[in-house]
């Protein structure tokens, strides 16, 4: 049997996303909902034998918020603490669910960062927690914007 005949019979070539996700991106930011999303995504990754990519998008200070070095340094310090907390939590998730996982950090706004990560990693699915910020109603939550992008299946975990 030739290679062409084999693949035309539905052999080893699968369309992206139709054979279950192989790369699952989950956004984590230290909030309770993002840790619930990570736990959900880890369970999904375990069942699908997929790679779990935990992505933290570190916010960049706007010019108006950066009044001086102490503010910027404090923000960086908080970010480092958050990264440490996320890493510690992912270690716990790793132990419980025994999945292949990676941890990625980017700088920028959460939506753009998650889109970039999902594109770069060729994600088959994206998982996020519900927004815990009141301001998301004005500019749209990250979850709603990801769904509207229509590029991957998006799961929103409460």
């Amino acid at each position: 049997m030739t290679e062409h005949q084999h693949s035309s019979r539905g052999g080893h070539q699968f369309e992206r996303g139709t054979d279950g996700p192989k790369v699952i991106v989950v956004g984590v930011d230290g909030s309770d909902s993002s840790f619930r999303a990570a736990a959900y995504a880890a369970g999904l990754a375990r069942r699908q034998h997929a790679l779990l990519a935990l992505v933290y998008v570190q916010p960049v200070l706007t010019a108006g918020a950066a009044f001086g070095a102490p503010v910027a340094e404090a923000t960086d310090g908080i970010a480092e603490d958050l990264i440490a907390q996320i890493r510690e939590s992912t270690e716990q998730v790793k132990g419980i669910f025994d999945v292949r996982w990676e941890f990625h950090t980017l700088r920028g706004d959460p939506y753009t960062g998650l889109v970039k990560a999902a594109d770069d990693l060729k994600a088959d699915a994206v998982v996020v927690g519900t927004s815990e910020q009141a301001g998301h109603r004005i500019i749209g939550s990250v979850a709603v914007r990801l769904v509207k992008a229509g590029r991957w299946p998006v799961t929103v975990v409460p």
Side-chain angles (χ1 to χ4, degrees):
M1 177 186 313
T2 67
E3 193 69 40
H4 180 265
Q5 289 171 325
H6 185 70
S7 63
S8 67
R9 290 182 157 181
H12 297 291
Q13 295 182 354
F14 300 102
E15 288 184 43
R16 181 174 159 201
T18 60
D19 189 43
K22 293 301 176 203
V23 178
I24 300 169
V25 166
V26 60
V28 290
D29 63 5
S31 65
D32 288 344
S33 69
S34 79
F35 286 129
R36 287 191 296 273
Y40 177 90
L44 184 60
R46 179 182 52 79
R47 289 186 298 277
Q48 297 289 340
H49 306 289
L51 172 67
L52 177 64
L54 297 115
V55 177
Y56 169 58
V57 183
Q58 183 176 342
V60 176
L61 278 178
T62 60
F67 291 115
V71 173
E73 287 171 13
T75 304
D76 284 344
I78 291 167
E80 290 300 320
D81 289 346
L82 182 56
I83 290 169
Q85 179 186 357
I86 291 167
R87 283 188 187 277
E88 182 178 315
S89 296
T90 57
E91 286 291 341
Q92 293 169 3
V93 168
K94 178 185 172 187
I96 292 167
F97 294 102
D98 193 27
V99 296
R100 292 181 303 123
W101 65 280
E102 299 173 351
F103 184 80
H104 301 270
T105 59
L106 298 91
R107 290 182 85 92
D109 73 274
Y111 171 77
T112 303
L114 286 172
V115 167
K116 178 173 174 26
D119 282 346
D120 290 353
L121 296 166
K122 296 181 175 39
D124 296 294
V126 178
V127 180
V128 292
T130 55
S131 175
E132 295 182 1
Q133 298 177 354
H136 82 270
R137 291 179 188 89
I138 299 166
I139 58 169
S141 72
V142 171
V144 168
R145 292 172 69 194
L146 288 167
V147 169
K148 286 182 177 179
R151 289 156 73 174
W152 328 266
V154 177
T155 303
V156 182
V157 179

